[in-house]
Coordinates of all heavy atoms in Angstrom, one line a residue:
S24 N -27.4 24.2 -12.0 CA -27.8 25.1 -11.0 C -27.3 24.7 -9.6 O -27.4 23.5 -9.3 CB -29.3 25.4 -10.9 OG -29.8 25.9 -12.1
L25 N -26.8 25.6 -8.8 CA -26.4 25.3 -7.5 C -27.4 25.6 -6.5 O -28.0 26.8 -6.5 CB -25.1 26.1 -7.2 CG -24.5 26.1 -5.9 CD1 -24.0 24.6 -5.5 CD2 -23.3 27.0 -5.7
Y26 N -27.8 24.7 -5.6 CA -28.8 24.9 -4.5 C -28.1 25.0 -3.2 O -28.9 25.4 -2.4 CB -29.8 23.8 -4.6 CG -30.7 23.9 -5.8 CD1 -30.4 23.2 -7.0 CD2 -31.8 24.8 -5.9 CE1 -31.2 23.2 -8.1 CE2 -32.6 24.9 -7.1 CZ -32.1 24.1 -8.2 OH -32.9 24.2 -9.3
S27 N -26.9 24.7 -3.1 CA -26.2 24.9 -1.8 C -25.7 26.2 -1.7 O -25.4 26.9 -2.6 CB -24.9 24.0 -1.7 OG -25.2 22.6 -2.0
D28 N -25.8 26.7 -0.3 CA -25.1 28.0 0.0 C -24.3 27.9 1.2 O -24.1 28.9 1.9 CB -26.2 29.0 0.0 CG -25.7 30.4 -0.4 OD1 -24.7 30.4 -1.2 OD2 -26.4 31.4 0.0
N29 N -23.9 26.6 1.5 CA -23.3 26.4 2.8 C -21.7 26.4 2.6 O -21.0 25.5 2.8 CB -23.7 25.1 3.5 CG -23.6 23.9 2.5 OD1 -23.7 24.1 1.3 ND2 -23.4 22.7 3.0
W30 N -21.2 27.5 2.2 CA -19.6 27.6 1.9 C -19.0 27.6 3.2 O -19.5 28.2 4.2 CB -19.4 29.0 1.2 CG -19.9 29.0 -0.2 CD1 -21.1 29.5 -0.8 CD2 -19.2 28.5 -1.4 NE1 -21.1 29.3 -2.1 CE2 -20.0 28.7 -2.5 CE3 -18.0 27.8 -1.6 CZ2 -19.6 28.4 -3.8 CZ3 -17.6 27.5 -2.9 CH2 -18.5 27.8 -4.0
E31 N -17.9 26.9 3.3 CA -17.2 26.8 4.6 C -15.8 27.3 4.3 O -15.2 27.1 3.2 CB -17.0 25.5 5.1 CG -18.3 24.9 5.6 CD -18.1 23.5 6.2 OE1 -17.1 23.3 7.0 OE2 -18.8 22.6 5.9
K32 N -15.2 28.2 5.1 CA -13.8 28.5 5.0 C -13.0 27.5 5.9 O -13.4 27.1 6.9 CB -13.5 29.9 5.7 CG -13.7 31.1 4.8 CD -13.2 32.3 5.4 CE -13.0 33.5 4.6 NZ -12.4 33.4 3.4
G33 N -11.9 27.1 5.2 CA -11.1 26.0 5.9 C -9.8 25.7 5.2 O -9.4 26.5 4.2
V34 N -9.3 24.6 5.5 CA -8.0 24.1 5.0 C -8.3 22.9 4.0 O -9.0 22.0 4.4 CB -7.0 23.8 6.0 CG1 -5.7 23.2 5.5 CG2 -6.7 24.9 7.0
L35 N -7.8 22.9 2.8 CA -7.7 21.9 1.9 C -6.3 21.3 2.0 O -5.4 22.0 1.7 CB -8.1 22.3 0.5 CG -8.0 21.2 -0.5 CD1 -9.2 20.3 -0.5 CD2 -7.8 21.8 -1.9
Y36 N -6.2 19.9 2.2 CA -4.9 19.4 2.2 C -4.9 18.3 1.1 O -5.7 17.4 1.1 CB -4.7 18.7 3.5 CG -3.2 18.3 3.8 CD1 -2.1 19.1 3.7 CD2 -3.0 17.0 4.3 CE1 -0.9 18.7 3.9 CE2 -1.8 16.5 4.6 CZ -0.6 17.5 4.4 OH 0.6 17.0 4.6
L37 N -4.0 18.4 0.1 CA -3.9 17.6 -1.1 C -2.7 16.6 -0.8 O -1.7 17.1 -0.5 CB -3.7 18.3 -2.3 CG -3.3 17.5 -3.7 CD1 -4.4 16.5 -3.9 CD2 -3.1 18.4 -4.7
T38 N -3.0 15.3 -0.8 CA -2.0 14.3 -0.8 C -2.0 13.5 -2.0 O -2.8 13.7 -2.9 CB -2.2 13.4 0.5 OG1 -3.2 12.4 0.2 CG2 -2.4 14.1 1.7
N39 N -1.0 12.5 -2.2 CA -1.0 11.7 -3.3 C -2.2 10.7 -3.3 O -2.4 10.0 -4.3 CB 0.3 10.9 -3.3 CG 0.6 10.0 -2.1 OD1 0.1 10.5 -1.0 ND2 1.3 9.0 -2.3
L40 N -3.0 10.5 -2.3 CA -4.1 9.6 -2.1 C -5.4 10.3 -1.9 O -6.4 9.7 -2.3 CB -3.8 8.6 -1.0 CG -2.5 7.8 -1.1 CD1 -2.4 6.9 0.2 CD2 -2.6 6.9 -2.3
N41 N -5.4 11.4 -1.2 CA -6.8 11.9 -0.8 C -6.8 13.5 -0.9 O -5.7 14.1 -0.9 CB -7.0 11.6 0.7 CG -7.2 10.2 0.9 OD1 -8.1 9.6 0.5 ND2 -6.3 9.6 1.7
L42 N -8.0 14.1 -1.0 CA -8.2 15.4 -0.7 C -8.8 15.5 0.7 O -9.9 14.9 1.0 CB -9.2 16.0 -1.7 CG -8.8 16.6 -3.0 CD1 -10.0 17.0 -3.8 CD2 -7.8 17.7 -2.8

Side-chain angles (χ1 to χ4, degrees):
S24 299
L25 174 65
Y26 290 94
S27 303
D28 213 19
N29 53 331
W30 291 95
E31 288 184 50
K32 269 191 172 310
V34 175
L35 172 83
Y36 191 51
L37 169 64
T38 71
N39 59 330
L40 301 175
N41 297 296
L42 269 179

